[in-house]
Amino acid sequence: MFRNPGFRLLLLAVCGLYFSVFARAVPAAGQAAEPPEKPEQQPVQDASRAWCQSTGSSGAWCQSTASSGHGMDMNVPSGVSDKCEPEFTYEEGPRGPSHWEGVCNTGHMQTPINITKAQMIPIPPLPPLEFSYRPADLDMVNDCNTYEIKARFPENHWLKVARKPYRLSEIDFHEPGENAVNGIRPPMSVLMVHLSPESTLLVIEVPVVEGKENPVIKTLWEHIPDSGKERAVKGVKINPTDLLPADHGFYRFPGSLTTPICNEGVQWYLMKNPIEMSKAQIDTYKKYYHDTARPLQPLNNRLLVESK
């Protein structure tokens, strides 16, 4: 039918290619056809981080994932590290406070601050801090990269403010305390870091003064892990309630985190009354970390509220 030999060769080659492709596409007898390959699914948190990077969002969730490598679950990895290589220092120098990254030196609502005057508002209408902390198994981290000893907590909704629930994620310590009142910082402070379902950060600072031995601190100090390590102790429980003063009066103000990248949008509560630790307990902490309070930051006309 086709007299041109060249055309016949071309036709045979095309037919051979067609049957080769068809044979690979049709499964052999008794073999199920393979479904088409699905694109690889990204974990939710990884996808969220990718979204943050692509949009350049400055929201609290994005900033916290960028700085610490975790999102809604603030306890992963939360300071557990094979290497102690901090990227910042509290002493002035190339990595000191005046050179901290992020918005540490450009933001207008930075923490810590010096409180000299605040607007007095009764409770109510000022919403109270509604604590419902519970005992939890001891889980300690020695975060050598942020100069902090931390106690971590499981999923919970142990704090409510204006009916909004907050999770207590971790407790850490600073020496001296971060925020000042009338120019005076306490010898130490306890920072209770909370996160809402909407990823709003709320930090409660409890001032510490020298006094009698604190039984909760005694338990914590007995189980401090090595630098960069975690130590979970089953059967040993602590109750965060025992690190609160009996009077829950407070100062409230908008602020930031106090370590790089100092992201803002953090609600701060500074308790007006302190708790006590013995001198020996304060000295024990200083053997690990000391002088870990950031320099005081300008108020910049922010609203300061004091409960009464």
Side-chain angles (χ1 to χ4, degrees), residues 138-296:
L138 183 62
D139 187 356
M140 299 282 288
V141 172
N142 186 339
D143 189 349
C144 52
N145 290 309
T146 61
Y147 314 98
E148 292 173 336
I149 303 295
K150 300 177 178 180
R152 310 193 306 176
F153 295 89
E155 286 287 345
N156 62 77
H157 290 102
W158 287 345
L159 173 69
K160 285 187 179 180
V161 182
R163 292 185 292 182
K164 177 184 287 189
Y166 289 86
R167 171 192 176 181
L168 174 62
S169 176
E170 63 187 39
I171 289 175
D172 55 62
F173 303 86
H174 288 262
E175 188 283 324
E178 292 269 38
N179 292 287
V181 176
N182 295 320
I184 299 176
R185 281 173 149 160
M188 278 189 68
S189 68
V190 180
L191 266 57
M192 299 177 163
V193 183
H194 302 76
L195 189 70
S196 78
E198 298 79 24
S199 306
T200 303
L201 288 164
L202 184 153
V203 179
I204 297 174
E205 181 173 19
V206 181
V208 173
V209 296
E210 185 179 319
K212 61 186 178 183
E213 183 180 68
N214 188 306
V216 178
I217 296 300
K218 182 177 186 293
T219 300
L220 292 175
W221 282 191
E222 287 173 348
H223 296 91
I224 296 176
D226 294 335
S227 294
K229 303 302 179 183
E230 177 184 14
R231 188 176 182 184
V233 186
K234 296 296 183 183
V236 176
K237 294 184 180 292
I238 61 166
N239 191 336
T241 302
D242 297 331
L243 293 174
L244 292 171
D247 186 327
H248 295 165
F250 56 80
Y251 299 96
R252 188 190 73 183
F253 59 92
S256 71
L257 296 182
T258 58
T259 56
I261 52 178
C262 309
N263 46 299
E264 297 183 340
V266 180
Q267 185 68 268
W268 275 84
Y269 288 81
L270 172 62
M271 305 305 284
K272 294 165 66 174
N273 296 283
I275 62 170
E276 294 182 6
M277 290 187 197
S278 68
K279 183 180 185 301
Q281 289 177 321
I282 294 173
D283 289 342
T284 296
Y285 186 83
K286 290 167 70 173
K287 293 177 183 178
Y288 291 90
Y289 304 112
H290 58 88
D291 299 316
T292 56
R294 183 188 183 194
L296 296 172

Side-chain angles (χ1 to χ4, degrees), residues 68-82:
S68 60
H70 48 80
M72 283 297 294
D73 186 354
M74 296 184 68
N75 287 338
V76 182
S78 191
V80 180
S81 173
D82 291 332

